[in-house]
Amino acid sequence: MIPSIPNPLMTREDVTNFRREIARRMRGEFTPQERMRYVRAENAYKAVIKNNGGKNPILG
């Protein structure tokens, strides 16, 4: 398990970049590569749900 860091050290540039990326993704501005990864992940999720009788195997 990856340990979480509650208060990571971040520079002003890190914070600015993080906020810019969050805003971009909330607006739905994805690059073609990001959109392709999203579609692949969504298809994999649907296949797992379909193969488990409509239930999420992790959540039960």
Side-chain angles (χ1 to χ4, degrees):
M1 189 166 153
I2 300 172
S4 63
I5 302 172
N7 295 314
L9 298 175
M10 296 180 77
T11 65
R12 283 187 176 274
E13 292 175 12
D14 292 336
V15 173
T16 302
N17 187 42
F18 174 78
R19 289 180 178 166
R20 187 181 317 115
E21 282 297 309
I22 290 297
R24 182 179 70 86
R25 291 168 192 255
M26 288 179 69
R27 287 189 303 263
E29 297 174 359
F30 299 107
T31 64
Q33 293 85 7
E34 289 170 335
R35 193 168 306 280
M36 185 173 58
R37 280 187 291 199
Y38 176 76
V39 169
R40 285 183 183 171
E42 187 176 27
N43 290 340
Y45 172 77
K46 287 178 182 177
V48 168
I49 296 298
K50 180 181 172 188
N51 292 334
N52 286 286
K55 295 185 178 178
N56 186 326
I58 296 172
L59 301 177

